[in-house]
Amino acid sequence: MVLNLQEQLDHLTAPGELVEVVDAAEKKIRCVACGHRCLIKDGRRGVCKVRYNEGGELRVPFGYVGALQIDPIEKKPFFHITPGVSALSFGMMGCDFHCSYCQNWDLSQTLRDENAGRDYIPITADELVTVGRKHGHAPLPAPTTNP
């Protein structure tokens, strides 16, 4: 059985912490990771499409990134802290915005737009740090991630 991207990503989740239980009996929760504060019923997803309610538990992305690359720090908003340094940038899939001018739409709208067509890169947070250190990249910005 071939799983679609959303089904694959659902296997790469962990319990979320930015959540409020609204109605335990009906398994309704509120994700508070962004300003939308999505009220999510059991079996439904938030506006970002990557956070969802499974049996009254908020599930969030874990163990993958949508993009990973080395960038000059000058591309980042905090370039003045360590000028001349490279940064290992990563981003997640999904977004709580729908900006028509988004330069990362293929990543942010992957689960919403079939023309986006991105795949994920399996990697843990510890592995991200190890890769960054191995290549001498101290900063680990997540410039394409909302929330």
Side-chain angles (χ1 to χ4, degrees):
M1 173 187 228
V2 177
L3 300 177
N4 67 32
L5 181 60
Q6 188 139 39
E7 293 166 334
Q8 292 175 51
L9 296 180
D10 286 353
H11 290 290
L12 295 169
T13 62
E17 296 179 7
L18 299 175
V19 63
E20 296 171 354
V21 176
V22 174
D23 187 331
E26 292 190 27
K27 300 179 181 176
K28 289 182 186 176
I29 59 175
R30 182 175 308 282
C31 177
V32 296
C34 78
H36 284 281
R37 299 179 55 83
C38 295
L39 176 63
I40 311 173
K41 295 178 181 179
D42 189 20
R44 303 299 302 260
R45 295 181 178 277
V47 69
C48 65
K49 301 295 184 199
V50 292
R51 288 171 172 73
Y52 65 96
N53 181 342
E54 184 177 87
E57 177 181 68
L58 179 66
R59 302 297 298 181
V60 301
F62 183 83
Y64 72 92
V65 296
L68 183 64
Q69 66 188 36
I70 297 169
D71 285 324
I73 199 71
E74 286 75 18
K75 285 178 61 178
K76 310 302 171 198
F78 45 84
F79 65 90
H80 57 286
I81 296 173
T82 54
V85 171
S86 293
L88 181 64
S89 300
F90 69 96
M92 301 299 290
M93 293 179 175
C95 186
D96 55 327
F97 297 115
H98 306 90
C99 307
S100 61
Y101 54 83
C102 181
Q103 69 181 14
N104 298 307
W105 74 273
D106 60 328
L107 184 63
S108 67
Q109 304 303 310
T110 292
L111 300 175
R112 193 175 278 121
D113 184 341
E114 63 185 39
N115 294 316
R118 286 294 289 255
D119 204 359
Y120 65 95
I121 302 163
I123 192 166
T124 67
D126 289 340
E127 290 170 332
L128 275 174
V129 172
T130 299
V131 169
R133 286 182 176 158
K134 178 180 175 185
H135 295 285
H137 308 291
L140 283 170
T144 60
T145 304
N146 280 314

